[in-house]
Amino acid sequence: MIHPVIDQDDEEWSPNMDMENATISDDNQLIIAADQGSDYRVLDSEGNQIGVIGPQSSYPHYCLFSKDSKQLLTNSCHFYNGTSIGINTGKLNGIFIPAYEENGDFILLDDQMRVYSGVAASRYYILGDAYGYIRAIDSEKEIQRCVSV
């Protein structure tokens, strides 16, 4: 089991989670995992934690690598809204991004969507949100919506 981390000191510890989400890079070298009660954990291919990405809204909710695997999108939510950030995958080994703090290690991709599903296509993320909208978010520009369906 790579997530959640077992608390050896808690005799009543349970692996129960809410809003669990994870993704793996195309080259199988990076795993990203989180749940409502955690930060995003960046793991290597052996499951060793090599970084931490705090949510920029209340709870980690969704994550996805870009089509070229050069960027990681993480989404955190609060009720039906959310925040998505993009992080250069070359910076993931040893990264520490505190929760709720602006940081030079990421760009803000979207500040409205609670993401439920997505796919990476060329330079865009095609994302479905809690309100039923499908949007294309530009992975290279901060807060750039190009289409809503």
Side-chain angles (χ1 to χ4, degrees):
M1 181 171 68
I2 59 170
H3 188 79
V5 176
I6 298 170
D7 185 349
Q8 303 288 349
D9 297 328
D10 183 355
E11 293 179 11
E12 296 179 21
W13 183 86
S14 164
N16 292 338
M17 297 180 284
D18 292 313
M19 298 193 314
E20 61 275 0
N21 64 99
T23 190
I24 189 166
S25 62
D26 285 340
D27 63 3
N28 296 318
Q29 296 303 302
L30 294 169
I31 303 165
I32 311 301
D35 65 81
Q36 182 175 353
S38 74
D39 290 335
Y40 280 99
R41 298 176 57 231
V42 181
L43 310 171
D44 65 17
S45 61
E46 301 297 317
N48 301 306
Q49 186 167 318
I50 59 171
V52 174
I53 301 167
Q56 300 307 302
S57 186
S58 295
Y59 310 108
H61 193 258
Y62 189 83
C63 52
L64 177 68
F65 282 98
S66 63
K67 180 91 170 162
D68 63 7
S69 295
K70 292 182 180 177
Q71 186 180 70
L72 169 68
L73 174 145
T74 65
N75 174 261
S76 50
C77 68
H78 184 73
F79 294 107
Y80 286 94
N81 299 312
T83 301
S84 294
I85 61 173
I87 305 129
N88 179 324
T89 55
K91 295 181 177 183
L92 291 177
N93 191 351
I95 198 162
F96 176 73
I97 296 176
Y100 321 114
E101 289 185 23
E102 289 188 30
N103 184 299
D105 287 331
F106 69 81
I107 62 171
L108 179 63
L109 297 173
D110 179 78
D111 62 356
Q112 297 179 15
M113 297 175 68
R114 175 178 179 163
V115 177
Y116 274 90
S117 62
V119 65
S122 63
R123 132 178 189 186
Y124 298 96
Y125 297 104
I126 311 300
L127 304 173
D129 75 4
Y131 291 106
Y133 290 98
I134 298 172
R135 295 188 172 107
I137 305 296
D138 189 327
S139 66
E140 297 179 15
K141 297 181 181 173
E142 295 192 29
I143 308 183
Q144 279 290 319
R145 272 181 199 74
C146 64
V147 70
S148 291
V149 178

